[in-house]
Amino acid sequence: MREGKGYLEFDGRKYHLSKGQACLIDCYQPHAYGSDSGWEIEWIHFDGRCAGSYYDMIVKQSGNVFRLQEGRRRRCCGRSGICWSFWKVR
């Protein structure tokens, strides 16, 4: 999340999200997310043969909600060694 506050409902839990946090969900499972006060977010969708294994590994090590470091284009998730890059598109 780039700005604002929001929430994620997933796997029987409700998470409160704020600037600098990211969430990772299995989008094939029931979920809801939103903001009552406004937010600016970026998102990535991935799927494929290995997606489930990557998802399991990241959530096991970092949970469904985790904090990202500011000011980096390359993001790494904890000790998983899984990294991704993104660029802001306006």
Side-chain angles (χ1 to χ4, degrees):
M1 174 178 307
R2 297 187 57 80
E3 294 291 337
K5 294 183 179 181
Y7 64 87
L8 166 67
E9 295 175 2
F10 180 72
D11 199 24
R13 296 183 64 189
K14 184 170 186 174
Y15 301 92
H16 297 279
L17 307 172
S18 61
K19 180 179 177 177
Q21 288 184 307
C23 56
L24 183 64
I25 62 170
D26 177 346
C27 65
Y28 292 105
Q29 300 302 316
H31 64 278
Y33 53 88
S35 174
D36 295 327
S37 59
W39 62 359
E40 180 183 341
I41 60 172
E42 295 177 315
W43 58 274
I44 300 170
H45 177 93
F46 66 96
D47 200 355
R49 204 170 60 180
C50 297
S53 296
Y54 285 135
Y55 171 81
D56 291 341
M57 181 173 54
I58 293 169
V59 169
K60 181 179 179 182
Q61 292 182 7
S62 299
N64 287 98
V65 176
F66 47 91
R67 186 155 298 280
L68 297 175
Q69 294 178 353
E70 278 290 320
R72 295 187 180 208
R73 287 185 180 212
R74 184 173 176 178
R75 309 287 181 156
C76 295
C77 181
R79 294 172 286 159
S80 68
I82 304 295
C83 297
W84 62 93
S85 297
F86 66 92
W87 293 264
K88 185 174 182 182
V89 178
R90 292 184 185 251

